[in-house]
Structure formats: C-alpha cells, structure tokens
C-alpha cells in the first residue's frame, strides 16, 4: 500500500508539473491511460478531486495545489533515495533539473555541462530553457539560473558570472540609414525590435541608467518577439535597434555586425546566479553540480554599483 501510494503520488506530481497526461506519461515511461488510472485511484483513496480535466487541458484543484506544494519535495527526495540506494560509496548518480534563461545557455550552461558530466558521468542533467519566471519548488525543479534581481530572498544563491551590462545595439546599415540615438528619449523616434514578455505577453520597456537616473522607455517598432535569437538576427539585418544581454552579442560586436549605442546609459547588473531552495535537502547530484559551478565561476571583475537597477525581475514577470 505504501509503495503504491508513493508511486501514485509521483504520478500525480508529474502530471501537475507537466500540465498534462501525455507529457507526464512520456517522462514516466507508461501509457497515458495507465497514468490517468493511477491518478484516479489516488483521488478515490483521498476522497477529493486533485485535477480538473478537459479535452484540452489539465488544471489543479485547490486540494491538488496543496498536495503539490506539501508533498512534492518529500516525494522527490524519496524517489531519489530509491534510485540511489544501490550506488557504490562515493559514486554520484541521479538527476539535476534546471530552469535556465536563453541568455545563460551559450554563456554559462554550454561550457559548464561538459566539465560537469566528465566528472560525474552517471548524473543526468535536465535543462529547461525558458525566459518566463519559474517557481522551481512548485514545478519540481532542483535549481535555476537567473539574474539575482529575479530570485526570491529565501533562495541560496551561487554567483556564476561577473557583473554584466544590458546594451542597445544596431547594425551599421541601420545607423547609416536612421542615425545614432544620443539619449534614451531618442529611442522613441527609432525603429526598435521589441521584446514580448513570455510571462504576461506585455511588451518590455527598455531599461537604461546613468548615475542616479534611470529610464524605462516604451519602445515601438516593426517586430515584436520573445525569442532572443530572432531579436539579434533582425538587428543584424538592419531592421532596427534592439536591447540585449551583452555577453550574448560578444561575437557580433567583435565581427562588427552590431554596434553598441547609448553606451553611457547601459544598465549594469550584478550578474547571473545559480539558485536553489534554502530549506530543501540538497541531493548529492545537485551538490556536485553546485561545486563544479563554483569552480567554473570567474572571480568578480566588475561590480554593479550598490542600488543599481538594471533590467530587474520585471523582464521575466511583466
């Protein structure tokens, strides 16, 4: 009974986190019908519905939300303990589940993963690349990477990068055709490739700063997208100005296909950080990942000034 309940709980948690039976069944390696039956049996034992099902979606009931929040971390730890029970002393196995923004893929994750996996070949790393704000506890993830401004205060944070800038960039062809903006207000008369928030679908106001002053500019232009790679390709094509995380455009700036404008107004932020819940029991696999990430992190070369605003959590929340 206890084993069956644990399996059923794990089945329910996977459906809740994947927001559907098909994706959850694929992760668990069972059929959607078997998974649905397991969840229904759990609901019958508890005497309350946990999910509201329609032909197109699955949503949590209030009882389901409470069960996800209260039982999720404990079940994850129990399932991890079962997977690692037969591991040899000193051997690290298991899975590390991460949420990572696009800006961290090429600059941090791509260089870090080969180093980590060479040392811990029996650990599986599940990387979800998404720019929306993610509640890692509710979604059953182990850790995430974000700008420190986006991280809740009760999380443990590990620095992964130096302080970095967000810059306005454009192709030489665009600047020759339309001229170079000199102040943040000049952006209002330029074509801008706009950023749509993946969380709220609102259009992001570009944030700039100089000394104690800051600006949030409601830019407009011919293209709106939530894909950072499309933003850069459109900028290189001369479609308009765009706003970018400077480490993501290092190669384009080196080649000269993009140029920084409004440089005195570039927003400086403390950098990207790995984070995970302070109250959670850290698995051996996550502990190993944190250790390797710390080793790979550079020493701070450039500090964001105290109180620097920069592109805050609203970039993910708005």
């Amino acid at each position: 009974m206890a084993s069956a309940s644990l399996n059923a709980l794990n089945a329910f948690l996977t459906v809740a986190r994947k927001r559907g039976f098909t994706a959850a069944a694929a992760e668990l390696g069972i059929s959607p019908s078997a998974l649905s039956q397991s969840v229904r049996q759990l609901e019958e034992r508890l005497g309350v519905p946990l999910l509201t099902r329609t032909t197109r979606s699955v949503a949590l009931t209030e009882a389901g939300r409470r069960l996800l929040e209260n039982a999720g971390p404990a079940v994850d730890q129990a399932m991890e303990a079962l997977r690692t029970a037969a591991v040899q002393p000193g051997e690290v196995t298991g899975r590390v589940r991460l949420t990572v923004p696009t800006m961290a893929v090429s600059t941090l994750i791509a260089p870090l993963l080969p180093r980590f996996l060479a040392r811990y070949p029996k650990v599986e790393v599940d990387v979800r690349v998404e720019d929306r704000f993610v509640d890692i506890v509710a979604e059953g993830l182990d850790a995430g990477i974000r700008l420190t401004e986006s991280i809740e205060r009760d999380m443990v944070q590990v620095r992964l990068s130096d302080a970095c800038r967000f810059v306005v960039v454009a192709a030489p062809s665009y600047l020759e055709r339309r001229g170079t903006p000199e102040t943040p207000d000049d952006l209002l008369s330029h074509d801008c490739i706009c950023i749509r928030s993946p969380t709220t679908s609102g259009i992001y106001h570009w944030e700039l700063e100089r000394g104690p002053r800051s600006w949030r500019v409601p830019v407009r232009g011919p293209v709106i997208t939530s894909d950072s790679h499309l933003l850069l390709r459109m900028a290189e094509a001369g479609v308009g100005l765009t706003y970018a995380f400077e480490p993501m455009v290092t190669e384009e700036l080196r080649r000269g296909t993009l140029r920084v404008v409004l440089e005195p107004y570039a927003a400086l932020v403390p950098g990207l950080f790995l984070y995970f819940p302070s109250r959670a029991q850290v698995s051996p696999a996550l502990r190993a990942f944190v250790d390797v990430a710390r080793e790979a992190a550079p020493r701070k070369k450039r500090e964001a000034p105290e109180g620097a605003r920069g592109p805050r959590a609203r970039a993910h929340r708005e």
Side-chain angles (χ1 to χ4, degrees), residues 26-300:
E27 177 164 313
L28 294 171
I30 60 177
S31 68
S33 59
L35 179 58
S36 179
Q37 182 179 359
S38 179
V39 174
R40 286 191 184 280
Q41 289 173 349
L42 177 62
E43 290 175 319
E44 290 171 3
R45 284 198 292 271
L46 295 175
V48 293
L50 301 173
L51 299 170
T52 300
R53 304 163 174 83
T54 69
T55 56
R56 294 186 177 182
S57 65
V58 172
L60 289 170
T61 65
E62 180 59 25
R65 184 190 62 77
R66 290 197 305 270
L67 185 60
L68 173 62
E69 293 178 354
N70 296 331
V75 172
D76 291 342
Q77 290 171 18
M79 298 303 290
E80 182 67 19
L82 290 173
R83 282 193 293 267
T84 59
V87 172
Q88 297 298 317
E91 186 177 39
V92 178
T93 65
R95 177 186 296 176
V96 177
R97 294 158 296 188
L98 302 173
T99 173
V100 175
T102 305
M103 69 176 72
V105 173
S106 61
T107 58
L108 292 175
I109 285 296
L112 178 60
L113 285 185
R115 180 174 180 170
F116 173 73
L117 295 171
R119 192 178 303 179
Y120 299 103
K122 293 190 177 181
V123 175
E124 177 183 285
V125 184
D126 182 351
V127 181
R128 288 170 37 174
V129 180
E130 50 197 344
D131 292 323
R132 70 182 179 90
F133 180 76
V134 176
D135 183 336
I136 62 174
V137 175
E139 299 198 23
L141 302 172
D142 298 302
I145 295 175
R146 288 292 183 272
L147 295 171
T148 187
E149 292 88 349
S150 304
I151 302 173
E152 301 295 339
R153 293 185 179 275
D154 62 347
M155 296 284 174
V156 176
Q157 298 188 38
V158 178
R159 175 180 289 277
L160 297 183
S161 77
D162 294 322
C164 338
R165 301 190 306 176
F166 280 79
V167 293
V168 179
V169 296
S173 61
Y174 175 86
L175 299 176
E176 290 169 7
R177 186 175 77 252
R178 295 294 307 275
T180 302
E182 301 294 338
T183 70
D185 290 339
D186 290 346
L187 294 172
L188 297 173
S189 61
H190 276 268
D191 291 332
C192 296
I193 304 165
C194 303
I195 304 167
R196 186 175 296 284
S197 165
T199 302
T200 67
S201 295
I203 297 177
Y204 175 61
H205 291 186
W206 293 3
E207 297 184 73
L208 300 102
E209 58 188 35
R210 188 172 188 177
R213 289 198 62 187
S214 63
W215 291 260
R216 294 192 68 221
V217 185
V219 296
R220 291 293 182 268
V223 176
I224 304 169
T225 181
S226 60
D227 184 88
S228 59
H229 296 295
L230 180 59
L231 289 170
L232 299 184
R233 300 295 77 80
M234 292 299 96
E236 283 189 299
V239 173
L241 302 157
T242 198
Y243 188 78
F245 186 54
E246 190 172 23
M248 285 190 67
V249 294
T250 300
E251 184 59 25
E252 290 83 355
L253 295 176
R254 186 192 64 79
R255 292 198 312 261
T257 57
L258 291 176
R259 296 178 185 170
V260 175
V261 301
L262 295 172
E263 188 156 13
Y265 300 91
L268 184 63
V269 294
L272 288 164
F273 290 74
L274 177 72
Y275 68 99
F276 51 92
S278 59
R279 294 188 296 272
Q281 181 178 341
V282 177
S283 69
L286 177 57
R287 187 178 300 110
F289 187 84
V290 171
D291 289 343
V292 174
R294 280 198 174 106
E295 291 174 11
R299 295 182 179 180
K300 291 183 287 183

Side-chain angles (χ1 to χ4, degrees), residues 300-311:
K300 291 183 287 183
K301 298 176 182 177
R302 176 169 58 184
E303 292 284 357
E306 186 176 354
R309 285 167 289 276

